[in-house]
Amino acid sequence: MTGDERARLVQGALESISVGSKSFRFASQLFDLPTRERSWLLYAWCRACDDITDGQTLGHDAVRVADPAARIAFLHEKTDAAFAGEETGLVPFEALRVVAAECAIPPAIAADHLAGFARDASGWRPQTTGDLLSYCYQVAGAVGVMMAHVMGVAPEDEDTLHRAADLGIAFQLANIARDIVDDAKVGRVYLPSEWLEAEGLDDADLADPRHRPALARMAHRLSDMADDYRRSARIGAARLPFRSRWAILSASGIYGEIATRAAALGPRAWDDRITTSKAEKAALVMEAFWEALWPVRPVPRTGLWTRPSRP
């Protein structure tokens, strides 16, 4: 691949992230240039997988698709080709081909990520807290592991890779807390059945405003869990080069704010979509700057769900 071809892929990836994830786009500016470009290339593939699975465009306007199994098979076919170094003819998979080769991303981690989309396509829903966390790993924690490879974490550094997965899990728990009602309206439920049973609810109750106090309790539980995983991730982030550490802590702060607000708003958390303004993001980035300078006391990673070991 020529330099011009790679530059076009990077530009396309930038356009994708600028629409699909303003929060990650904001934080990614803090990376050094090579890491920044590679993070965008990886994002382009992740975004395309999500869009293809959900029949949406850059994270918006999802529709129920008629051929979910065929879409998952397509993702596997093109992803396998990208890892094999074969030209795919599709920008997001070409972006993956480049970043996977440059950063030696293990194909098994990408397969973990696709397994999360396969769960969504099949109408799966979690029964237990463990089910929820395994799903959060697949759809977001696996991306954290791939990003760790992009940032230069050694493949044998299992503890740091686990903590990278922890940050993705924390992000997804925050997203689930924010989107409980919107997800329920389109037939998706990510709260474990055992949680709903403890509240005397079923899936059909989640969009009913009468049950907001119960939803608030579960959102608070999600926020507390996200905090646990974010604290673990901070220890891993402390091992990164400064600019990567700053970027990751900024993203952690921005996404963490979503979970914190969902918990603080209680039953009002779903009256309007929770967002952060540019000014608020900037303040969180400055807070992360000082946090990145402060030494972190290593604490053993205990009591947290742990991703499957992968080569």
Side-chain angles (χ1 to χ4, degrees), residues 42 103-106 108-110 112 137-138 140-155 157-169 307-308 310-311:
L42 179 62
C103 302
I105 294 173
I109 308 302
D112 284 347
Y137 162 69
Q138 290 171 332
V143 179
V145 177
M146 289 187 281
M147 275 298 304
H149 285 280
V150 166
M151 292 182 287
V153 175
D157 187 353
E158 278 289 298
D159 187 71
T160 300
L161 294 175
H162 286 327
R163 294 178 189 274
D166 288 343
L167 186 58
I169 289 170
R307 72 186 182 98
R310 290 288 185 263

PDB file of all heavy atoms in Angstrom, residues 42 103-106 108-110 112 137-138 140-155 157-169 307-308 310-311:
ATOM      1  N   LEU A  42      -8.556   1.743  13.388  1.00  0.00           N
ATOM      2  CA  LEU A  42      -9.243   0.680  14.131  1.00  0.00           C
ATOM      3  C   LEU A  42     -10.704   1.054  14.354  1.00  0.00           C
ATOM      4  O   LEU A  42     -11.602   0.211  14.196  1.00  0.00           O
ATOM      5  CB  LEU A  42      -8.536   0.443  15.467  1.00  0.00           C
ATOM      6  CG  LEU A  42      -9.169  -0.622  16.366  1.00  0.00           C
ATOM      7  CD1 LEU A  42      -9.162  -1.993  15.686  1.00  0.00           C
ATOM      8  CD2 LEU A  42      -8.438  -0.681  17.711  1.00  0.00           C
ATOM      9  N   CYS A 103       0.432  -3.123  13.894  1.00  0.00           N
ATOM     10  CA  CYS A 103       0.446  -3.258  15.352  1.00  0.00           C
ATOM     11  C   CYS A 103       0.353  -4.704  15.824  1.00  0.00           C
ATOM     12  O   CYS A 103       0.269  -4.947  17.041  1.00  0.00           O
ATOM     13  CB  CYS A 103      -0.710  -2.456  15.952  1.00  0.00           C
ATOM     14  SG  CYS A 103      -0.676  -0.710  15.525  1.00  0.00           S
ATOM     15  N   ALA A 104       0.384  -5.658  14.902  1.00  0.00           N
ATOM     16  CA  ALA A 104       0.329  -7.085  15.251  1.00  0.00           C
ATOM     17  C   ALA A 104      -0.871  -7.388  16.153  1.00  0.00           C
ATOM     18  O   ALA A 104      -0.752  -8.059  17.179  1.00  0.00           O
ATOM     19  CB  ALA A 104       1.629  -7.535  15.911  1.00  0.00           C
ATOM     20  N   ILE A 105      -2.030  -6.871  15.768  1.00  0.00           N
ATOM     21  CA  ILE A 105      -3.254  -7.154  16.535  1.00  0.00           C
ATOM     22  C   ILE A 105      -3.626  -8.622  16.338  1.00  0.00           C
ATOM     23  O   ILE A 105      -3.722  -9.093  15.205  1.00  0.00           O
ATOM     24  CB  ILE A 105      -4.398  -6.239  16.067  1.00  0.00           C
ATOM     25  CG1 ILE A 105      -4.083  -4.774  16.405  1.00  0.00           C
ATOM     26  CG2 ILE A 105      -5.717  -6.651  16.712  1.00  0.00           C
ATOM     27  CD1 ILE A 105      -5.074  -3.781  15.834  1.00  0.00           C
ATOM     28  N   PRO A 106      -3.862  -9.359  17.412  1.00  0.00           N
ATOM     29  CA  PRO A 106      -4.208 -10.778  17.263  1.00  0.00           C
ATOM     30  C   PRO A 106      -5.603 -10.957  16.654  1.00  0.00           C
ATOM     31  O   PRO A 106      -6.570 -10.340  17.115  1.00  0.00           O
ATOM     32  CB  PRO A 106      -4.185 -11.306  18.706  1.00  0.00           C
ATOM     33  CG  PRO A 106      -3.391 -10.305  19.485  1.00  0.00           C
ATOM     34  CD  PRO A 106      -3.672  -8.978  18.821  1.00  0.00           C
ATOM     35  N   ALA A 108      -7.643 -13.253  17.109  1.00  0.00           N
ATOM     36  CA  ALA A 108      -8.586 -13.791  18.095  1.00  0.00           C
ATOM     37  C   ALA A 108      -9.319 -12.687  18.837  1.00  0.00           C
ATOM     38  O   ALA A 108     -10.474 -12.865  19.242  1.00  0.00           O
ATOM     39  CB  ALA A 108      -7.847 -14.690  19.089  1.00  0.00           C
ATOM     40  N   ILE A 109      -8.671 -11.542  19.034  1.00  0.00           N
ATOM     41  CA  ILE A 109      -9.330 -10.437  19.744  1.00  0.00           C
ATOM     42  C   ILE A 109     -10.410  -9.824  18.853  1.00  0.00           C
ATOM     43  O   ILE A 109     -11.499  -9.484  19.321  1.00  0.00           O
ATOM     44  CB  ILE A 109      -8.317  -9.374  20.186  1.00  0.00           C
ATOM     45  CG1 ILE A 109      -7.165 -10.015  20.964  1.00  0.00           C
ATOM     46  CG2 ILE A 109      -8.994  -8.309  21.040  1.00  0.00           C
ATOM     47  CD1 ILE A 109      -7.594 -10.773  22.197  1.00  0.00           C
ATOM     48  N   ALA A 110     -10.118  -9.703  17.568  1.00  0.00           N
ATOM     49  CA  ALA A 110     -11.138  -9.218  16.636  1.00  0.00           C
ATOM     50  C   ALA A 110     -12.316 -10.193  16.588  1.00  0.00           C
ATOM     51  O   ALA A 110     -13.475  -9.779  16.504  1.00  0.00           O
ATOM     52  CB  ALA A 110     -10.536  -9.033  15.246  1.00  0.00           C
ATOM     53  N   ASP A 112     -13.322 -12.032  19.057  1.00  0.00           N
ATOM     54  CA  ASP A 112     -14.097 -11.765  20.279  1.00  0.00           C
ATOM     55  C   ASP A 112     -15.074 -10.619  20.041  1.00  0.00           C
ATOM     56  O   ASP A 112     -16.229 -10.661  20.481  1.00  0.00           O
ATOM     57  CB  ASP A 112     -13.161 -11.398  21.437  1.00  0.00           C
ATOM     58  CG  ASP A 112     -12.440 -12.590  22.024  1.00  0.00           C
ATOM     59  OD1 ASP A 112     -12.810 -13.743  21.721  1.00  0.00           O
ATOM     60  OD2 ASP A 112     -11.490 -12.373  22.807  1.00  0.00           O
ATOM     61  N   TYR A 137     -17.384  -7.070  27.463  1.00  0.00           N
ATOM     62  CA  TYR A 137     -16.023  -7.328  26.970  1.00  0.00           C
ATOM     63  C   TYR A 137     -16.026  -7.466  25.456  1.00  0.00           C
ATOM     64  O   TYR A 137     -15.202  -6.859  24.759  1.00  0.00           O
ATOM     65  CB  TYR A 137     -15.440  -8.601  27.603  1.00  0.00           C
ATOM     66  CG  TYR A 137     -14.266  -9.102  26.788  1.00  0.00           C
ATOM     67  CD1 TYR A 137     -13.075  -8.376  26.754  1.00  0.00           C
ATOM     68  CD2 TYR A 137     -14.380 -10.241  25.988  1.00  0.00           C
ATOM     69  CE1 TYR A 137     -12.020  -8.797  25.945  1.00  0.00           C
ATOM     70  CE2 TYR A 137     -13.328 -10.660  25.190  1.00  0.00           C
ATOM     71  CZ  TYR A 137     -12.144  -9.932  25.171  1.00  0.00           C
ATOM     72  OH  TYR A 137     -11.107 -10.324  24.368  1.00  0.00           O
ATOM     73  N   GLN A 138     -16.956  -8.233  24.927  1.00  0.00           N
ATOM     74  CA  GLN A 138     -16.950  -8.481  23.492  1.00  0.00           C
ATOM     75  C   GLN A 138     -17.137  -7.199  22.688  1.00  0.00           C
ATOM     76  O   GLN A 138     -16.383  -6.925  21.743  1.00  0.00           O
ATOM     77  CB  GLN A 138     -18.030  -9.501  23.133  1.00  0.00           C
ATOM     78  CG  GLN A 138     -17.717 -10.906  23.612  1.00  0.00           C
ATOM     79  CD  GLN A 138     -18.885 -11.850  23.433  1.00  0.00           C
ATOM     80  OE1 GLN A 138     -20.059 -11.445  23.441  1.00  0.00           O
ATOM     81  NE2 GLN A 138     -18.600 -13.128  23.285  1.00  0.00           N
ATOM     82  N   ALA A 140     -16.904  -3.992  23.668  1.00  0.00           N
ATOM     83  CA  ALA A 140     -16.086  -2.817  23.994  1.00  0.00           C
ATOM     84  C   ALA A 140     -14.747  -3.176  24.623  1.00  0.00           C
ATOM     85  O   ALA A 140     -13.732  -2.568  24.294  1.00  0.00           O
ATOM     86  CB  ALA A 140     -16.863  -1.892  24.930  1.00  0.00           C
ATOM     87  N   GLY A 141     -14.724  -4.162  25.520  1.00  0.00           N
ATOM     88  CA  GLY A 141     -13.457  -4.532  26.146  1.00  0.00           C
ATOM     89  C   GLY A 141     -12.451  -5.056  25.143  1.00  0.00           C
ATOM     90  O   GLY A 141     -11.247  -4.768  25.241  1.00  0.00           O
ATOM     91  N   ALA A 142     -12.909  -5.831  24.154  1.00  0.00           N
ATOM     92  CA  ALA A 142     -12.003  -6.335  23.120  1.00  0.00           C
ATOM     93  C   ALA A 142     -11.394  -5.183  22.330  1.00  0.00           C
ATOM     94  O   ALA A 142     -10.219  -5.249  21.912  1.00  0.00           O
ATOM     95  CB  ALA A 142     -12.743  -7.286  22.188  1.00  0.00           C
ATOM     96  N   VAL A 143     -12.160  -4.119  22.135  1.00  0.00           N
ATOM     97  CA  VAL A 143     -11.616  -2.930  21.467  1.00  0.00           C
ATOM     98  C   VAL A 143     -10.522  -2.313  22.334  1.00  0.00           C
ATOM     99  O   VAL A 143      -9.487  -1.870  21.817  1.00  0.00           O
ATOM    100  CB  VAL A 143     -12.731  -1.906  21.182  1.00  0.00           C
ATOM    101  CG1 VAL A 143     -12.153  -0.662  20.517  1.00  0.00           C
ATOM    102  CG2 VAL A 143     -13.814  -2.520  20.310  1.00  0.00           C
ATOM    103  N   GLY A 144     -10.732  -2.309  23.653  1.00  0.00           N
ATOM    104  CA  GLY A 144      -9.698  -1.816  24.552  1.00  0.00           C
ATOM    105  C   GLY A 144      -8.417  -2.613  24.414  1.00  0.00           C
ATOM    106  O   GLY A 144      -7.307  -2.045  24.421  1.00  0.00           O
ATOM    107  N   VAL A 145      -8.529  -3.931  24.276  1.00  0.00           N
ATOM    108  CA  VAL A 145      -7.339  -4.770  24.112  1.00  0.00           C
ATOM    109  C   VAL A 145      -6.646  -4.454  22.785  1.00  0.00           C
ATOM    110  O   VAL A 145      -5.416  -4.339  22.718  1.00  0.00           O
ATOM    111  CB  VAL A 145      -7.712  -6.264  24.192  1.00  0.00           C
ATOM    112  CG1 VAL A 145      -6.489  -7.147  23.938  1.00  0.00           C
ATOM    113  CG2 VAL A 145      -8.301  -6.586  25.571  1.00  0.00           C
ATOM    114  N   MET A 146      -7.423  -4.313  21.721  1.00  0.00           N
ATOM    115  CA  MET A 146      -6.821  -3.964  20.429  1.00  0.00           C
ATOM    116  C   MET A 146      -6.158  -2.594  20.491  1.00  0.00           C
ATOM    117  O   MET A 146      -5.066  -2.380  19.933  1.00  0.00           O
ATOM    118  CB  MET A 146      -7.881  -4.028  19.325  1.00  0.00           C
ATOM    119  CG  MET A 146      -8.313  -5.451  18.997  1.00  0.00           C
ATOM    120  SD  MET A 146      -9.424  -5.596  17.567  1.00  0.00           S
ATOM    121  CE  MET A 146     -10.993  -5.127  18.301  1.00  0.00           C
ATOM    122  N   MET A 147      -6.786  -1.649  21.191  1.00  0.00           N
ATOM    123  CA  MET A 147      -6.168  -0.331  21.361  1.00  0.00           C
ATOM    124  C   MET A 147      -4.870  -0.437  22.163  1.00  0.00           C
ATOM    125  O   MET A 147      -3.915   0.312  21.903  1.00  0.00           O
ATOM    126  CB  MET A 147      -7.141   0.627  22.056  1.00  0.00           C
ATOM    127  CG  MET A 147      -8.099   1.323  21.125  1.00  0.00           C
ATOM    128  SD  MET A 147      -7.260   2.387  19.907  1.00  0.00           S
ATOM    129  CE  MET A 147      -6.313   3.483  20.983  1.00  0.00           C
ATOM    130  N   ALA A 148      -4.810  -1.335  23.119  1.00  0.00           N
ATOM    131  CA  ALA A 148      -3.564  -1.520  23.869  1.00  0.00           C
ATOM    132  C   ALA A 148      -2.443  -1.952  22.931  1.00  0.00           C
ATOM    133  O   ALA A 148      -1.300  -1.474  23.048  1.00  0.00           O
ATOM    134  CB  ALA A 148      -3.764  -2.547  24.984  1.00  0.00           C
ATOM    135  N   HIS A 149      -2.760  -2.825  21.986  1.00  0.00           N
ATOM    136  CA  HIS A 149      -1.753  -3.216  20.992  1.00  0.00           C
ATOM    137  C   HIS A 149      -1.355  -2.014  20.139  1.00  0.00           C
ATOM    138  O   HIS A 149      -0.169  -1.830  19.822  1.00  0.00           O
ATOM    139  CB  HIS A 149      -2.296  -4.343  20.115  1.00  0.00           C
ATOM    140  CG  HIS A 149      -2.336  -5.676  20.796  1.00  0.00           C
ATOM    141  ND1 HIS A 149      -1.228  -6.485  20.932  1.00  0.00           N
ATOM    142  CD2 HIS A 149      -3.350  -6.337  21.410  1.00  0.00           C
ATOM    143  CE1 HIS A 149      -1.554  -7.595  21.584  1.00  0.00           C
ATOM    144  NE2 HIS A 149      -2.839  -7.528  21.887  1.00  0.00           N
ATOM    145  N   VAL A 150      -2.321  -1.185  19.778  1.00  0.00           N
ATOM    146  CA  VAL A 150      -2.029   0.027  19.006  1.00  0.00           C
ATOM    147  C   VAL A 150      -1.084   0.946  19.777  1.00  0.00           C
ATOM    148  O   VAL A 150      -0.192   1.580  19.197  1.00  0.00           O
ATOM    149  CB  VAL A 150      -3.340   0.763  18.657  1.00  0.00           C
ATOM    150  CG1 VAL A 150      -3.073   2.186  18.155  1.00  0.00           C
ATOM    151  CG2 VAL A 150      -4.130  -0.017  17.620  1.00  0.00           C
ATOM    152  N   MET A 151      -1.245   0.995  21.112  1.00  0.00           N
ATOM    153  CA  MET A 151      -0.410   1.872  21.940  1.00  0.00           C
ATOM    154  C   MET A 151       0.905   1.223  22.359  1.00  0.00           C
ATOM    155  O   MET A 151       1.663   1.812  23.120  1.00  0.00           O
ATOM    156  CB  MET A 151      -1.202   2.320  23.176  1.00  0.00           C
ATOM    157  CG  MET A 151      -2.361   3.237  22.843  1.00  0.00           C
ATOM    158  SD  MET A 151      -3.276   3.816  24.297  1.00  0.00           S
ATOM    159  CE  MET A 151      -4.154   2.317  24.774  1.00  0.00           C
ATOM    160  N   GLY A 152       1.156   0.030  21.862  1.00  0.00           N
ATOM    161  CA  GLY A 152       2.456  -0.579  22.080  1.00  0.00           C
ATOM    162  C   GLY A 152       2.576  -1.484  23.283  1.00  0.00           C
ATOM    163  O   GLY A 152       3.700  -1.855  23.668  1.00  0.00           O
ATOM    164  N   VAL A 153       1.464  -1.877  23.908  1.00  0.00           N
ATOM    165  CA  VAL A 153       1.532  -2.803  25.033  1.00  0.00           C
ATOM    166  C   VAL A 153       2.008  -4.161  24.518  1.00  0.00           C
ATOM    167  O   VAL A 153       1.528  -4.656  23.497  1.00  0.00           O
ATOM    168  CB  VAL A 153       0.159  -2.940  25.728  1.00  0.00           C
ATOM    169  CG1 VAL A 153       0.200  -4.006  26.816  1.00  0.00           C
ATOM    170  CG2 VAL A 153      -0.254  -1.592  26.318  1.00  0.00           C
ATOM    171  N   ALA A 154       2.945  -4.765  25.231  1.00  0.00           N
ATOM    172  CA  ALA A 154       3.510  -6.047  24.809  1.00  0.00           C
ATOM    173  C   ALA A 154       2.466  -7.152  24.875  1.00  0.00           C
ATOM    174  O   ALA A 154       1.671  -7.198  25.824  1.00  0.00           O
ATOM    175  CB  ALA A 154       4.704  -6.401  25.689  1.00  0.00           C
ATOM    176  N   PRO A 155       2.443  -8.055  23.899  1.00  0.00           N
ATOM    177  CA  PRO A 155       1.435  -9.132  23.884  1.00  0.00           C
ATOM    178  C   PRO A 155       1.467 -10.013  25.125  1.00  0.00           C
ATOM    179  O   PRO A 155       0.438 -10.571  25.505  1.00  0.00           O
ATOM    180  CB  PRO A 155       1.796  -9.933  22.629  1.00  0.00           C
ATOM    181  CG  PRO A 155       2.574  -8.998  21.775  1.00  0.00           C
ATOM    182  CD  PRO A 155       3.299  -8.081  22.709  1.00  0.00           C
ATOM    183  N   ASP A 157       2.062  -8.961  28.144  1.00  0.00           N
ATOM    184  CA  ASP A 157       1.710  -8.193  29.349  1.00  0.00           C
ATOM    185  C   ASP A 157       0.223  -8.384  29.643  1.00  0.00           C
ATOM    186  O   ASP A 157      -0.601  -7.499  29.423  1.00  0.00           O
ATOM    187  CB  ASP A 157       2.047  -6.715  29.137  1.00  0.00           C
ATOM    188  CG  ASP A 157       1.878  -5.878  30.399  1.00  0.00           C
ATOM    189  OD1 ASP A 157       1.376  -6.426  31.409  1.00  0.00           O
ATOM    190  OD2 ASP A 157       2.238  -4.686  30.369  1.00  0.00           O
ATOM    191  N   GLU A 158      -0.117  -9.554  30.159  1.00  0.00           N
ATOM    192  CA  GLU A 158      -1.517  -9.916  30.357  1.00  0.00           C
ATOM    193  C   GLU A 158      -2.237  -8.977  31.316  1.00  0.00           C
ATOM    194  O   GLU A 158      -3.400  -8.630  31.104  1.00  0.00           O
ATOM    195  CB  GLU A 158      -1.612 -11.353  30.868  1.00  0.00           C
ATOM    196  CG  GLU A 158      -1.514 -12.410  29.785  1.00  0.00           C
ATOM    197  CD  GLU A 158      -2.759 -12.439  28.895  1.00  0.00           C
ATOM    198  OE1 GLU A 158      -3.854 -12.710  29.406  1.00  0.00           O
ATOM    199  OE2 GLU A 158      -2.617 -12.171  27.691  1.00  0.00           O
ATOM    200  N   ASP A 159      -1.567  -8.544  32.370  1.00  0.00           N
ATOM    201  CA  ASP A 159      -2.251  -7.698  33.349  1.00  0.00           C
ATOM    202  C   ASP A 159      -2.683  -6.379  32.717  1.00  0.00           C
ATOM    203  O   ASP A 159      -3.816  -5.922  32.914  1.00  0.00           O
ATOM    204  CB  ASP A 159      -1.357  -7.427  34.559  1.00  0.00           C
ATOM    205  CG  ASP A 159      -2.104  -6.700  35.667  1.00  0.00           C
ATOM    206  OD1 ASP A 159      -2.967  -7.322  36.316  1.00  0.00           O
ATOM    207  OD2 ASP A 159      -1.842  -5.484  35.871  1.00  0.00           O
ATOM    208  N   THR A 160      -1.789  -5.765  31.942  1.00  0.00           N
ATOM    209  CA  THR A 160      -2.147  -4.499  31.298  1.00  0.00           C
ATOM    210  C   THR A 160      -3.241  -4.714  30.252  1.00  0.00           C
ATOM    211  O   THR A 160      -4.157  -3.880  30.107  1.00  0.00           O
ATOM    212  CB  THR A 160      -0.920  -3.846  30.660  1.00  0.00           C
ATOM    213  OG1 THR A 160       0.058  -3.603  31.681  1.00  0.00           O
ATOM    214  CG2 THR A 160      -1.268  -2.520  30.009  1.00  0.00           C
ATOM    215  N   LEU A 161      -3.202  -5.825  29.525  1.00  0.00           N
ATOM    216  CA  LEU A 161      -4.249  -6.111  28.548  1.00  0.00           C
ATOM    217  C   LEU A 161      -5.595  -6.344  29.237  1.00  0.00           C
ATOM    218  O   LEU A 161      -6.635  -5.899  28.741  1.00  0.00           O
ATOM    219  CB  LEU A 161      -3.866  -7.324  27.699  1.00  0.00           C
ATOM    220  CG  LEU A 161      -2.643  -7.139  26.789  1.00  0.00           C
ATOM    221  CD1 LEU A 161      -2.301  -8.443  26.093  1.00  0.00           C
ATOM    222  CD2 LEU A 161      -2.873  -6.032  25.763  1.00  0.00           C
ATOM    223  N   HIS A 162      -5.579  -7.011  30.390  1.00  0.00           N
ATOM    224  CA  HIS A 162      -6.826  -7.175  31.150  1.00  0.00           C
ATOM    225  C   HIS A 162      -7.379  -5.813  31.560  1.00  0.00           C
ATOM    226  O   HIS A 162      -8.590  -5.574  31.510  1.00  0.00           O
ATOM    227  CB  HIS A 162      -6.585  -8.015  32.398  1.00  0.00           C
ATOM    228  CG  HIS A 162      -6.392  -9.482  32.139  1.00  0.00           C
ATOM    229  ND1 HIS A 162      -7.021 -10.154  31.114  1.00  0.00           N
ATOM    230  CD2 HIS A 162      -5.638 -10.421  32.781  1.00  0.00           C
ATOM    231  CE1 HIS A 162      -6.676 -11.428  31.136  1.00  0.00           C
ATOM    232  NE2 HIS A 162      -5.837 -11.613  32.141  1.00  0.00           N
ATOM    233  N   ARG A 163      -6.503  -4.924  31.973  1.00  0.00           N
ATOM    234  CA  ARG A 163      -6.949  -3.599  32.425  1.00  0.00           C
ATOM    235  C   ARG A 163      -7.434  -2.755  31.251  1.00  0.00           C
ATOM    236  O   ARG A 163      -8.326  -1.910  31.416  1.00  0.00           O
ATOM    237  CB  ARG A 163      -5.842  -2.914  33.211  1.00  0.00           C
ATOM    238  CG  ARG A 163      -5.533  -3.637  34.529  1.00  0.00           C
ATOM    239  CD  ARG A 163      -4.395  -2.966  35.286  1.00  0.00           C
ATOM    240  NE  ARG A 163      -3.943  -3.749  36.428  1.00  0.00           N
ATOM    241  CZ  ARG A 163      -4.477  -3.717  37.649  1.00  0.00           C
ATOM    242  NH1 ARG A 163      -5.520  -2.929  37.882  1.00  0.00           N
ATOM    243  NH2 ARG A 163      -3.984  -4.445  38.624  1.00  0.00           N
ATOM    244  N   ALA A 164      -6.866  -2.971  30.069  1.00  0.00           N
ATOM    245  CA  ALA A 164      -7.388  -2.300  28.872  1.00  0.00           C
ATOM    246  C   ALA A 164      -8.805  -2.784  28.573  1.00  0.00           C
ATOM    247  O   ALA A 164      -9.684  -1.990  28.211  1.00  0.00           O
ATOM    248  CB  ALA A 164      -6.468  -2.582  27.679  1.00  0.00           C
ATOM    249  N   ALA A 165      -9.028  -4.091  28.741  1.00  0.00           N
ATOM    250  CA  ALA A 165     -10.378  -4.626  28.586  1.00  0.00           C
ATOM    251  C   ALA A 165     -11.318  -4.026  29.626  1.00  0.00           C
ATOM    252  O   ALA A 165     -12.481  -3.730  29.331  1.00  0.00           O
ATOM    253  CB  ALA A 165     -10.364  -6.153  28.694  1.00  0.00           C
ATOM    254  N   ASP A 166     -10.800  -3.816  30.837  1.00  0.00           N
ATOM    255  CA  ASP A 166     -11.621  -3.241  31.904  1.00  0.00           C
ATOM    256  C   ASP A 166     -12.153  -1.868  31.517  1.00  0.00           C
ATOM    257  O   ASP A 166     -13.309  -1.541  31.824  1.00  0.00           O
ATOM    258  CB  ASP A 166     -10.805  -3.118  33.198  1.00  0.00           C
ATOM    259  CG  ASP A 166     -10.530  -4.465  33.848  1.00  0.00           C
ATOM    260  OD1 ASP A 166     -11.201  -5.448  33.516  1.00  0.00           O
ATOM    261  OD2 ASP A 166      -9.616  -4.520  34.702  1.00  0.00           O
ATOM    262  N   LEU A 167     -11.333  -1.065  30.846  1.00  0.00           N
ATOM    263  CA  LEU A 167     -11.811   0.266  30.469  1.00  0.00           C
ATOM    264  C   LEU A 167     -12.940   0.171  29.452  1.00  0.00           C
ATOM    265  O   LEU A 167     -13.942   0.885  29.550  1.00  0.00           O
ATOM    266  CB  LEU A 167     -10.664   1.114  29.921  1.00  0.00           C
ATOM    267  CG  LEU A 167     -11.031   2.571  29.646  1.00  0.00           C
ATOM    268  CD1 LEU A 167     -11.535   3.258  30.913  1.00  0.00           C
ATOM    269  CD2 LEU A 167      -9.837   3.333  29.070  1.00  0.00           C
ATOM    270  N   GLY A 168     -12.793  -0.720  28.490  1.00  0.00           N
ATOM    271  CA  GLY A 168     -13.877  -0.907  27.528  1.00  0.00           C
ATOM    272  C   GLY A 168     -15.147  -1.395  28.200  1.00  0.00           C
ATOM    273  O   GLY A 168     -16.251  -0.950  27.862  1.00  0.00           O
ATOM    274  N   ILE A 169     -15.006  -2.285  29.160  1.00  0.00           N
ATOM    275  CA  ILE A 169     -16.171  -2.765  29.905  1.00  0.00           C
ATOM    276  C   ILE A 169     -16.844  -1.608  30.629  1.00  0.00           C
ATOM    277  O   ILE A 169     -18.074  -1.472  30.626  1.00  0.00           O
ATOM    278  CB  ILE A 169     -15.751  -3.877  30.892  1.00  0.00           C
ATOM    279  CG1 ILE A 169     -15.379  -5.146  30.126  1.00  0.00           C
ATOM    280  CG2 ILE A 169     -16.860  -4.162  31.899  1.00  0.00           C
ATOM    281  CD1 ILE A 169     -14.731  -6.227  30.975  1.00  0.00           C
ATOM    282  N   ARG A 307     -11.433 -11.312  31.199  1.00  0.00           N
ATOM    283  CA  ARG A 307     -11.602 -11.760  29.822  1.00  0.00           C
ATOM    284  C   ARG A 307     -10.912 -13.109  29.620  1.00  0.00           C
ATOM    285  O   ARG A 307      -9.950 -13.445  30.321  1.00  0.00           O
ATOM    286  CB  ARG A 307     -11.012 -10.729  28.858  1.00  0.00           C
ATOM    287  CG  ARG A 307      -9.496 -10.701  28.873  1.00  0.00           C
ATOM    288  CD  ARG A 307      -8.918  -9.592  28.036  1.00  0.00           C
ATOM    289  NE  ARG A 307      -7.450  -9.645  28.062  1.00  0.00           N
ATOM    290  CZ  ARG A 307      -6.718 -10.207  27.110  1.00  0.00           C
ATOM    291  NH1 ARG A 307      -7.288 -10.756  26.053  1.00  0.00           N
ATOM    292  NH2 ARG A 307      -5.404 -10.237  27.212  1.00  0.00           N
ATOM    293  N   PRO A 308     -11.356 -13.896  28.630  1.00  0.00           N
ATOM    294  CA  PRO A 308     -10.672 -15.156  28.321  1.00  0.00           C
ATOM    295  C   PRO A 308      -9.247 -14.883  27.855  1.00  0.00           C
ATOM    296  O   PRO A 308      -8.978 -13.872  27.198  1.00  0.00           O
ATOM    297  CB  PRO A 308     -11.507 -15.756  27.188  1.00  0.00           C
ATOM    298  CG  PRO A 308     -12.809 -15.024  27.233  1.00  0.00           C
ATOM    299  CD  PRO A 308     -12.526 -13.668  27.773  1.00  0.00           C
ATOM    300  N   ARG A 310      -6.161 -15.029  25.540  1.00  0.00           N
ATOM    301  CA  ARG A 310      -6.054 -15.157  24.080  1.00  0.00           C
ATOM    302  C   ARG A 310      -4.594 -15.058  23.685  1.00  0.00           C
ATOM    303  O   ARG A 310      -3.811 -14.376  24.339  1.00  0.00           O
ATOM    304  CB  ARG A 310      -6.830 -14.026  23.385  1.00  0.00           C
ATOM    305  CG  ARG A 310      -8.349 -14.148  23.517  1.00  0.00           C
ATOM    306  CD  ARG A 310      -8.868 -15.270  22.662  1.00  0.00           C
ATOM    307  NE  ARG A 310     -10.322 -15.331  22.673  1.00  0.00           N
ATOM    308  CZ  ARG A 310     -11.024 -16.118  23.446  1.00  0.00           C
ATOM    309  NH1 ARG A 310     -10.419 -16.896  24.328  1.00  0.00           N
ATOM    310  NH2 ARG A 310     -12.334 -16.138  23.382  1.00  0.00           N
ATOM    311  N   PRO A 311      -4.202 -15.705  22.586  1.00  0.00           N
ATOM    312  CA  PRO A 311      -2.820 -15.602  22.104  1.00  0.00           C
ATOM    313  C   PRO A 311      -2.533 -14.193  21.622  1.00  0.00           C
ATOM    314  O   PRO A 311      -3.437 -13.461  21.248  1.00  0.00           O
ATOM    315  CB  PRO A 311      -2.773 -16.612  20.957  1.00  0.00           C
ATOM    316  CG  PRO A 311      -4.202 -16.750  20.499  1.00  0.00           C
ATOM    317  CD  PRO A 311      -5.030 -16.582  21.725  1.00  0.00           C
TER     318      PRO A 311
END
